[in-house]
Amino acid sequence: MPMNAVFNIIELFKSFLLEIGELSFFAARFFRESFKRPVEFKEFLRQCYNMGNRSLLLVAVTGFIIGLVFTLQSRPTLQEFGAVSWMPSMVSISIIREIGPIITALICAGRIGSGIGAELGSMRVTEQIDAMEVSGTNPFKYLVVTRIMATTFMLPILVFFGDAIALFGSYLVENIKGNVSFLLYFNQVFDALEFGDLMPATIKTFFFGFAIGLVGCFKGYYCKKGTAGVGVAANSAVVFTSMLLFIIDFIAVFVTDIFYDL
């Protein structure tokens, strides 16, 4: 291997470790600032509205299509084995445990994470954040803490909403293809679900939301000067968050599997 290639790999690895370290300090500062007064409650509610209410339509459409496609693709295979009656149970467990949370989180990473990165990046480039610091306001408390807390608390709600719409989409397919009633379908759905399915899936959505807000704020808050830096901040926020979501999801599944084996 040429020396230039080795040098480039080493530099990329060093920059990656440096960014991980900076992100860790950024997260530590968030926890430190979260317990300080004043509490920016109005800004927190405004961010919850912006991130939650304005993402409902996108999450609903995505969840509905997931339910339709997943059921349409799975039904022929189950028919071959004469196990179509297991469709509600299989779809509900798959969506609640894994498909719903990770797909909704990825959608929100593109919708919310990029928006946060672009918004804070624009404020950094136009020196609005510097002006807030000069005026005696704590921009980190007002801009970063509120957004990270909003994503942390709103993503589980969006996941619940997306899961419900996905199950409804699956029911429509079963109703059309197999003439299954609403009551029968959802009785089988709730019979198949257990507390061990809901709790781990719910807990990891809080970590998903925290990761989306943290990376989006980090990329935007430390955006480089120039208008090109805003685009880079928004794009890198989505890419970095998507990778982080898969890592968090793997850790959550691994830890859950350990507790199930105990």
Side-chain angles (χ1 to χ4, degrees), residues 89 92-98 101 160 163 189-204 256 260:
S89 303
S92 61
I93 292 175
S94 301
I95 288 177
I96 296 296
R97 278 189 182 180
E98 189 61 33
F160 288 147
D163 289 349
V189 165
F190 290 115
D191 286 341
L193 293 174
E194 298 178 354
F195 183 78
D197 299 320
L198 296 173
M199 197 63 184
T202 303
I203 292 174
K204 70 181 180 181
T256 304
Y260 266 105

Short mmCIF file of all heavy atoms in Angstrom, two decimals, residues 89 92-98 101 160 163 189-204 256 260:
data_model
loop_
_atom_site.label_atom_id
_atom_site.label_comp_id
_atom_site.label_asym_id
_atom_site.label_seq_id
_atom_site.Cartn_x
_atom_site.Cartn_y
_atom_site.Cartn_z
N SER A 89 -49.99 -11.23 14.10
CA SER A 89 -48.97 -11.38 15.14
C SER A 89 -47.59 -11.05 14.62
O SER A 89 -46.82 -10.33 15.26
CB SER A 89 -48.99 -12.82 15.68
OG SER A 89 -50.26 -13.17 16.16
N SER A 92 -47.29 -7.18 13.79
CA SER A 92 -47.28 -6.33 15.00
C SER A 92 -45.95 -6.42 15.73
O SER A 92 -45.37 -5.39 16.12
CB SER A 92 -48.42 -6.72 15.93
OG SER A 92 -48.29 -8.07 16.37
N ILE A 93 -45.42 -7.62 15.91
CA ILE A 93 -44.16 -7.78 16.63
C ILE A 93 -43.01 -7.15 15.83
O ILE A 93 -42.15 -6.46 16.40
CB ILE A 93 -43.88 -9.27 16.90
CG1 ILE A 93 -44.89 -9.81 17.91
CG2 ILE A 93 -42.46 -9.47 17.42
CD1 ILE A 93 -44.79 -11.30 18.16
N SER A 94 -43.01 -7.35 14.52
CA SER A 94 -41.93 -6.80 13.69
C SER A 94 -41.95 -5.28 13.70
O SER A 94 -40.91 -4.64 13.82
CB SER A 94 -42.07 -7.31 12.24
OG SER A 94 -42.00 -8.71 12.20
N ILE A 95 -43.14 -4.70 13.56
CA ILE A 95 -43.25 -3.24 13.51
C ILE A 95 -42.94 -2.62 14.86
O ILE A 95 -42.19 -1.64 14.96
CB ILE A 95 -44.64 -2.82 13.00
CG1 ILE A 95 -44.76 -3.13 11.51
CG2 ILE A 95 -44.89 -1.33 13.26
CD1 ILE A 95 -46.12 -2.83 10.92
N ILE A 96 -43.52 -3.15 15.93
CA ILE A 96 -43.35 -2.56 17.25
C ILE A 96 -41.91 -2.71 17.73
O ILE A 96 -41.32 -1.76 18.27
CB ILE A 96 -44.31 -3.22 18.27
CG1 ILE A 96 -45.76 -2.94 17.89
CG2 ILE A 96 -44.03 -2.71 19.68
CD1 ILE A 96 -46.16 -1.49 17.93
N ARG A 97 -41.32 -3.87 17.52
CA ARG A 97 -39.96 -4.10 18.03
C ARG A 97 -38.90 -3.34 17.25
O ARG A 97 -38.01 -2.73 17.83
CB ARG A 97 -39.63 -5.60 17.99
CG ARG A 97 -40.15 -6.41 19.14
CD ARG A 97 -39.56 -7.80 19.05
NE ARG A 97 -40.05 -8.68 20.10
CZ ARG A 97 -39.68 -9.95 20.24
NH1 ARG A 97 -38.83 -10.47 19.36
NH2 ARG A 97 -40.16 -10.68 21.22
N GLU A 98 -38.97 -3.39 15.93
CA GLU A 98 -37.82 -2.95 15.14
C GLU A 98 -38.15 -1.99 14.01
O GLU A 98 -37.59 -0.90 13.92
CB GLU A 98 -37.10 -4.18 14.57
CG GLU A 98 -35.77 -3.87 13.91
CD GLU A 98 -34.78 -3.27 14.88
OE1 GLU A 98 -34.83 -3.63 16.07
OE2 GLU A 98 -33.97 -2.42 14.45
N PRO A 101 -39.69 1.80 15.04
CA PRO A 101 -38.75 2.74 15.66
C PRO A 101 -37.61 3.18 14.75
O PRO A 101 -37.31 4.38 14.68
CB PRO A 101 -38.23 1.95 16.88
CG PRO A 101 -39.31 0.99 17.20
CD PRO A 101 -39.91 0.61 15.90
N PHE A 160 -44.87 5.98 18.31
CA PHE A 160 -46.17 5.40 18.64
C PHE A 160 -47.19 5.69 17.54
O PHE A 160 -47.95 4.82 17.13
CB PHE A 160 -46.68 5.95 19.97
CG PHE A 160 -45.94 5.43 21.18
CD1 PHE A 160 -45.77 6.23 22.28
CD2 PHE A 160 -45.42 4.15 21.19
CE1 PHE A 160 -45.08 5.77 23.40
CE2 PHE A 160 -44.72 3.68 22.29
CZ PHE A 160 -44.54 4.48 23.40
N ASP A 163 -46.30 3.66 14.40
CA ASP A 163 -46.63 2.24 14.59
C ASP A 163 -48.12 2.00 14.42
O ASP A 163 -48.55 1.02 13.80
CB ASP A 163 -46.19 1.78 15.97
CG ASP A 163 -44.67 1.69 16.11
OD1 ASP A 163 -43.98 1.78 15.07
OD2 ASP A 163 -44.18 1.54 17.24
N VAL A 189 -53.43 -8.80 17.30
CA VAL A 189 -52.26 -7.94 17.47
C VAL A 189 -51.92 -7.78 18.94
O VAL A 189 -50.77 -7.98 19.37
CB VAL A 189 -52.51 -6.55 16.83
CG1 VAL A 189 -51.47 -5.54 17.30
CG2 VAL A 189 -52.47 -6.65 15.31
N PHE A 190 -52.91 -7.45 19.76
CA PHE A 190 -52.65 -7.21 21.19
C PHE A 190 -52.40 -8.51 21.95
O PHE A 190 -51.72 -8.49 22.98
CB PHE A 190 -53.82 -6.44 21.81
CG PHE A 190 -53.91 -5.02 21.34
CD1 PHE A 190 -55.00 -4.56 20.60
CD2 PHE A 190 -52.88 -4.11 21.60
CE1 PHE A 190 -55.07 -3.26 20.16
CE2 PHE A 190 -52.94 -2.80 21.16
CZ PHE A 190 -54.04 -2.37 20.43
N ASP A 191 -52.93 -9.62 21.46
CA ASP A 191 -52.62 -10.91 22.09
C ASP A 191 -51.17 -11.30 21.86
O ASP A 191 -50.55 -11.96 22.71
CB ASP A 191 -53.55 -12.00 21.54
CG ASP A 191 -54.96 -11.90 22.09
OD1 ASP A 191 -55.13 -11.23 23.15
OD2 ASP A 191 -55.88 -12.47 21.48
N ALA A 192 -50.63 -10.90 20.70
CA ALA A 192 -49.25 -11.28 20.37
C ALA A 192 -48.22 -10.42 21.10
O ALA A 192 -47.11 -10.87 21.38
CB ALA A 192 -49.02 -11.17 18.86
N LEU A 193 -48.58 -9.17 21.42
CA LEU A 193 -47.63 -8.25 22.04
C LEU A 193 -47.53 -8.49 23.54
O LEU A 193 -48.53 -8.76 24.21
CB LEU A 193 -48.05 -6.80 21.77
CG LEU A 193 -47.97 -6.33 20.32
CD1 LEU A 193 -48.55 -4.93 20.20
CD2 LEU A 193 -46.54 -6.36 19.81
N GLU A 194 -46.32 -8.38 24.05
CA GLU A 194 -46.07 -8.52 25.48
C GLU A 194 -45.33 -7.28 25.98
O GLU A 194 -44.86 -6.45 25.20
CB GLU A 194 -45.25 -9.78 25.77
CG GLU A 194 -45.93 -11.07 25.36
CD GLU A 194 -45.06 -12.28 25.62
OE1 GLU A 194 -43.87 -12.09 26.00
OE2 GLU A 194 -45.55 -13.41 25.42
N PHE A 195 -45.23 -7.19 27.29
CA PHE A 195 -44.52 -6.06 27.89
C PHE A 195 -43.06 -6.04 27.45
O PHE A 195 -42.48 -4.97 27.24
CB PHE A 195 -44.60 -6.16 29.42
CG PHE A 195 -43.95 -5.00 30.13
CD1 PHE A 195 -44.60 -3.78 30.23
CD2 PHE A 195 -42.69 -5.13 30.70
CE1 PHE A 195 -44.00 -2.72 30.88
CE2 PHE A 195 -42.09 -4.08 31.36
CZ PHE A 195 -42.75 -2.86 31.45
N GLY A 196 -42.47 -7.20 27.27
CA GLY A 196 -41.08 -7.29 26.82
C GLY A 196 -40.87 -6.82 25.40
O GLY A 196 -39.74 -6.56 24.99
N ASP A 197 -41.95 -6.72 24.62
CA ASP A 197 -41.84 -6.17 23.27
C ASP A 197 -41.93 -4.65 23.29
O ASP A 197 -41.24 -3.96 22.52
CB ASP A 197 -42.96 -6.73 22.38
CG ASP A 197 -42.90 -8.23 22.25
OD1 ASP A 197 -41.79 -8.77 22.13
OD2 ASP A 197 -43.97 -8.86 22.27
N LEU A 198 -42.79 -4.12 24.15
CA LEU A 198 -43.04 -2.68 24.16
C LEU A 198 -41.97 -1.89 24.89
O LEU A 198 -41.56 -0.83 24.43
CB LEU A 198 -44.41 -2.41 24.81
CG LEU A 198 -45.63 -2.97 24.07
CD1 LEU A 198 -46.88 -2.78 24.92
CD2 LEU A 198 -45.80 -2.30 22.72
N MET A 199 -41.52 -2.41 26.03
CA MET A 199 -40.62 -1.63 26.88
C MET A 199 -39.27 -1.35 26.22
O MET A 199 -38.83 -0.19 26.16
CB MET A 199 -40.43 -2.34 28.22
CG MET A 199 -39.86 -1.46 29.30
SD MET A 199 -41.00 -0.09 29.64
CE MET A 199 -40.04 0.85 30.81
N PRO A 200 -38.55 -2.37 25.72
CA PRO A 200 -37.25 -2.06 25.06
C PRO A 200 -37.41 -1.15 23.84
O PRO A 200 -36.58 -0.27 23.63
CB PRO A 200 -36.72 -3.44 24.65
CG PRO A 200 -37.43 -4.41 25.52
CD PRO A 200 -38.79 -3.82 25.76
N ALA A 201 -38.48 -1.37 23.07
CA ALA A 201 -38.70 -0.53 21.88
C ALA A 201 -38.96 0.92 22.27
O ALA A 201 -38.53 1.85 21.57
CB ALA A 201 -39.86 -1.08 21.06
N THR A 202 -39.66 1.12 23.38
CA THR A 202 -39.95 2.48 23.84
C THR A 202 -38.70 3.16 24.38
O THR A 202 -38.45 4.34 24.10
CB THR A 202 -41.05 2.47 24.91
OG1 THR A 202 -42.21 1.83 24.39
CG2 THR A 202 -41.41 3.88 25.35
N ILE A 203 -37.93 2.43 25.16
CA ILE A 203 -36.73 3.02 25.78
C ILE A 203 -35.74 3.47 24.72
O ILE A 203 -35.16 4.56 24.80
CB ILE A 203 -36.08 2.02 26.76
CG1 ILE A 203 -36.99 1.81 27.97
CG2 ILE A 203 -34.71 2.51 27.22
CD1 ILE A 203 -36.51 0.74 28.92
N LYS A 204 -35.54 2.65 23.69
CA LYS A 204 -34.52 3.02 22.70
C LYS A 204 -34.95 4.21 21.84
O LYS A 204 -34.09 4.89 21.27
CB LYS A 204 -34.15 1.82 21.83
CG LYS A 204 -35.21 1.36 20.85
CD LYS A 204 -34.69 0.15 20.08
CE LYS A 204 -35.71 -0.37 19.09
NZ LYS A 204 -35.19 -1.57 18.38
N THR A 256 -31.05 -6.20 25.06
CA THR A 256 -32.35 -6.86 25.25
C THR A 256 -32.23 -8.37 25.16
O THR A 256 -32.85 -9.10 25.94
CB THR A 256 -33.36 -6.35 24.20
OG1 THR A 256 -33.45 -4.92 24.29
CG2 THR A 256 -34.74 -6.95 24.45
N TYR A 260 -33.21 -11.26 27.92
CA TYR A 260 -34.15 -12.32 27.62
C TYR A 260 -33.57 -13.69 27.92
O TYR A 260 -34.29 -14.63 28.29
CB TYR A 260 -34.53 -12.26 26.13
CG TYR A 260 -35.79 -11.48 25.86
CD1 TYR A 260 -35.73 -10.19 25.31
CD2 TYR A 260 -37.04 -11.99 26.18
CE1 TYR A 260 -36.89 -9.47 25.07
CE2 TYR A 260 -38.20 -11.26 25.94
CZ TYR A 260 -38.10 -10.00 25.38
OH TYR A 260 -39.25 -9.27 25.16
#
